[in-house]
């Protein structure tokens, strides 16, 4: 990622002023969608970087951005069969006993009759150019191979990623 190769703080570049104002407006819409009084906050983009993955089979390890309230990625370029951004809910609020809701196995080797909103502890989103994804900064996320295809990603995936603080 650009954070490690010096491609950071893009939000300070005047050429991206309108882009980051738009990102802030989307963050306000996201907070409003959560049923929170979004107008009580100012939205500050406090860290940005280029996220570029161009090696087949290379994945972003699961991590969080505990220093932010909202994290985001805006996909600029996406290859065929792109790896997906994946999120993990480590809390598993509906798990009745330890291990019951592990979803890292094929469904036929789990307790599930079907997967639904109440029993998933992870989910993923296949990226496409122009897609903006926002999530709570504390949520674990990374990338995984696209489960909709057996083919590996063979091109470059890049985007502008960042963190937002609510003040």
């Amino acid at each position: 990622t650009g954070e490690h190769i010096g491609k950071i703080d893009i939000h300070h570049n005047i050429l991206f002023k309108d882009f980051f104002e738009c990102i802030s407006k989307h963050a306000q819409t996201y907070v409003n969608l959560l049923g929170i009084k979004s107008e009580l906050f100012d939205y500050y983009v406090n860290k940005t970087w280029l996220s570029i993955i161009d090696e087949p089979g290379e994945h972003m390890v699961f991590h969080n951005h505990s220093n932010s309230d909202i994290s985001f990625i805006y996909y600029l370029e996406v290859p065929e069969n792109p790896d997906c951004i994946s999120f993990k809910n480590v809390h598993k609020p509906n798990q009745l006993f330890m291990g019951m809701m592990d979803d890292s196995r094929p469904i036929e080797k789990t307790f599930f009759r079907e997967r639904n909103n109440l029993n998933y502890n992870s989910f993923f989103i296949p990226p496409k150019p122009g897609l903006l994804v926002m999530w709570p900064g504390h949520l674990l996320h990374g990338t995984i191979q696209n489960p909709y295809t057996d083919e590996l990603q063979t091109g470059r995936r890049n985007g502008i990623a960042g963190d937002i603080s609510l003040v």
Side-chain angles (χ1 to χ4, degrees):
T1 66
E3 187 175 11
H4 300 291
I5 59 172
K7 306 297 184 194
I8 60 172
D9 293 336
I10 302 162
H11 61 289
H12 292 303
N13 185 324
I14 191 70
L15 297 174
F16 290 95
K17 180 180 183 279
D18 292 342
F19 175 81
F20 287 109
E21 284 178 4
C22 185
I23 293 290
S24 293
K25 287 179 184 172
H26 281 291
Q28 185 171 2
T29 300
Y30 170 52
V31 169
N32 194 45
L33 181 68
L34 296 175
I36 297 167
K37 296 176 183 176
S38 59
E39 67 278 3
L40 296 179
F41 301 100
D42 289 325
Y43 298 79
Y44 290 98
V45 176
N46 58 35
K47 188 177 180 185
T48 55
W49 60 95
L50 288 178
S51 177
I52 301 171
I53 297 178
D54 55 6
E55 294 293 324
E58 183 178 332
H59 294 282
M60 183 65 59
V61 297
F62 280 86
H63 64 285
N64 68 11
H65 302 192
S66 59
N67 62 330
S68 71
D69 299 311
I70 299 172
S71 292
F72 68 88
I73 178 98
Y74 178 79
Y75 290 99
L76 299 167
E77 182 180 19
V78 177
E80 297 253 351
N81 308 309
D83 291 342
C84 297
I85 186 167
S86 180
F87 301 91
K88 290 189 179 207
N89 177 3
V90 296
H91 302 292
K92 304 176 188 176
N94 291 313
Q95 179 166 262
L96 304 177
F97 55 85
M98 293 298 291
M100 179 185 190
M101 291 189 170
D102 289 348
D103 59 1
S104 59
R105 299 183 302 251
I107 195 161
E108 63 273 5
K109 295 185 177 186
T110 68
F111 292 98
F112 302 109
R113 178 177 49 255
E114 68 177 1
R115 300 301 304 213
N116 60 44
N117 293 356
L118 298 174
N119 63 33
Y120 261 91
N121 58 24
S122 68
F123 60 95
F124 57 88
I125 301 170
K128 60 184 179 181
L131 176 68
L132 172 64
V133 181
M134 293 186 164
W135 63 92
H138 64 82
L139 189 61
L140 283 174
H141 62 283
T143 59
I144 61 168
Q145 182 178 339
N146 189 330
Y148 293 122
T149 180
D150 291 331
E151 297 179 36
L152 290 176
Q153 173 179 306
T154 57
R156 183 167 136 144
R157 183 182 75 241
N158 66 53
I160 297 175
D163 293 325
I164 297 172
S165 293
L166 306 182
V167 180

